[in-house]
Amino acid sequence: NAGYVMQDILLKLADLELDSGTFELICGRNRVTLNRRAYQVMEAFMRNPRVIISPEQMMERIWGWDSEAEIHVVWVNVSFLRKQLKQLGSRTYIRTLRGTGYSLEEQR
């Protein structure tokens, strides 16, 4: 299957793009490169906009239950992504629903 080329995926939501080829989060002319975990967290949000994702779901999906990582790695990555969204000047933001989880929303 030598002719097979992995197609880079560009996820889009509002003014935001996430590039699977470069791990870049893009808003207009601004862009930032994410590490693998932050990229995976952002990808989960962008594939499920306005859907509440619990820290436990994030943990299972990205780190796996066998991981040595603690649940706070989810909070750390969400906090990091919030800063990046603000820095990029995006209209999207990560909403916290206390005791439930997070969702990626778009400011109206």
Side-chain angles (χ1 to χ4, degrees):
N1 201 358
Y4 179 75
V5 176
M6 180 66 186
Q7 185 67 44
D8 291 343
I9 298 167
L10 198 62
L11 295 173
K12 296 182 183 193
L13 179 69
D15 59 3
L16 205 57
E17 296 180 355
L18 186 65
D19 189 324
S20 71
T22 60
F23 279 29
E24 282 180 319
L25 191 56
I26 305 156
C27 180
R29 292 191 178 149
N30 302 326
R31 53 184 61 219
V32 63
T33 303
L34 303 176
N35 66 38
R36 191 167 62 99
R37 295 296 193 208
Y39 171 85
Q40 289 174 302
V41 171
M42 196 67 212
E43 182 185 32
F45 282 133
M46 288 188 72
R47 286 188 185 276
N48 304 282
R50 295 170 292 282
V51 172
I52 299 165
I53 305 172
S54 74
E56 292 76 17
Q57 287 172 309
M58 212 50 104
M59 195 72 204
E60 185 177 12
R61 189 180 297 178
I62 295 166
W63 283 268
W65 287 121
D66 300 336
S67 166
E68 295 294 308
E70 302 285 332
I71 197 87
H72 76 268
V73 297
V74 174
W75 309 329
V76 168
N77 277 277
V78 167
S79 172
F80 170 76
L81 288 169
R82 279 196 173 116
K83 287 186 188 112
Q84 299 307 314
L85 290 172
K86 195 169 282 187
Q87 213 172 334
L88 289 168
S90 176
R91 290 195 324 266
T92 61
Y93 65 99
I94 299 170
R95 183 171 161 219
T96 300
L97 293 104
R98 281 181 70 87
T100 312
Y102 308 100
S103 66
L104 186 64
E105 307 276 339
E106 185 182 343
Q107 288 171 349
R108 303 251 170 250

